[in-house]
Amino acid sequence: MIAKEPNTPNFSDDQIRELTDIVFLEEKLPSPCDVIFVFGGTHSGHWEKAIEAYFNGLGNKLIVTGGFNPKVKLYESREIVKYLVEAGIPKRDIVFEDKSSNTLENVLFAKEVFNFGAINTVLFICKSYAAGSQYRTLVQHLPGHLEFVNFSFDAKFNGTTVARDNWFNSETGRKRVWGQYLRIIEYGKKGDILPLKKQIEGL
């Protein structure tokens, strides 16, 4: 089990650039997709970003994931759907699963409620520092013809925002990003996500 905030080594400028691209993914302008995939979570960014995407024409169908969260005693997907409907998104445009307990299960159980073989593009929503691992999970378990577009949001931890352009300036950011990189390596070896072609030299 890799800690969410493990101790970090010292990173060179080149290593910071590589970590940023692996963990946050490369920056690209979002484009309209066939469906919006919302990874489970309790951060308001999950539904706020989904609402933004829907009303900006980035997708007209939403797949919401997330099962029961014992810490907050609610079903993540049902909570997200509640906010989507309150924002004016018709229920007919939303499908959800409420059995998953992690990223891998988000994707696997989504396959039970939606036919991914009938579409070509997926806009996915998650925390920005989790985008790399979420993307690799989607690629590993959904049909190979699909194209994935990242539409993520920055999260705060104890008042510190962890974002693509500043994570390396704070201890929290460095630990969070390093932990994500270590998980990408570990889950890649297990086959849960698409493995890295090569690890960062010196790390």
Side-chain angles (χ1 to χ4, degrees):
M1 185 70 178
I2 296 170
K4 286 189 175 180
E5 296 190 2
N7 292 328
T8 63
N10 292 319
F11 305 127
S12 69
D13 289 344
D14 285 342
Q15 289 169 339
I16 286 174
R17 281 191 288 272
E18 289 188 74
L19 281 166
T20 301
D21 285 343
I22 291 169
V23 172
F24 290 86
L25 297 183
E26 294 183 25
E27 283 188 299
K28 292 181 180 178
L29 288 174
S31 55
C33 292
D34 297 323
V35 72
I36 300 167
F37 187 105
V38 186
F39 278 97
T42 56
H43 191 288
S44 61
H46 290 278
W47 55 85
E48 290 169 351
K49 207 69 176 174
I51 292 166
E52 178 186 344
Y54 182 89
F55 286 112
N56 281 326
L58 296 178
N60 55 20
K61 188 82 174 178
L62 296 108
I63 305 165
V64 183
T65 65
F68 186 75
N69 185 324
K71 290 183 180 179
V72 292
K73 295 182 172 56
L74 55 77
Y75 287 87
E76 293 176 353
S77 60
R78 296 181 192 178
E79 187 75 357
I80 294 169
V81 169
K82 180 187 77 172
Y83 285 108
L84 299 182
V85 173
E86 286 177 357
I89 298 176
K91 286 185 178 179
R92 66 176 179 273
D93 291 341
I94 305 169
V95 296
F96 71 95
E97 67 78 22
D98 59 5
K99 299 187 295 183
S100 60
S101 60
N102 55 48
T103 295
L104 174 60
E105 290 183 355
N106 287 167
V107 177
L108 295 180
F109 288 131
K111 292 168 68 175
E112 296 181 0
V113 297
F114 188 82
N115 177 17
F116 288 93
I119 62 170
N120 294 306
T121 54
V122 177
L123 186 90
F124 67 97
I125 292 171
C126 60
K127 294 183 180 73
S128 59
Y129 84 102
S133 60
Q134 316 296 63
Y135 166 77
R136 290 175 176 278
T137 308
L138 291 165
V139 171
Q140 186 78 343
H141 297 284
L142 294 186
H145 73 277
L146 290 173
E147 177 186 347
F148 300 98
V149 177
N150 170 31
F151 195 57
S152 57
F153 59 91
D154 298 329
K156 281 187 178 180
F157 302 94
N158 298 320
T160 300
T161 300
V162 178
R164 179 186 177 87
D165 59 357
N166 74 356
W167 67 267
F168 41 84
N169 292 327
S170 69
E171 183 179 4
T172 296
R174 294 168 78 89
K175 287 183 174 182
R176 287 274 169 171
V177 168
W178 179 238
Q180 280 297 112
Y181 175 71
L182 294 178
R183 277 186 285 279
I184 287 172
I185 293 172
E186 179 179 322
Y187 297 154
K189 289 177 179 177
K190 288 174 61 179
D192 290 349
I193 69 174
L194 179 71
L196 285 175
K197 290 183 179 178
K198 65 171 185 174
Q199 296 183 26
I200 298 173
E201 189 172 341
L203 292 181

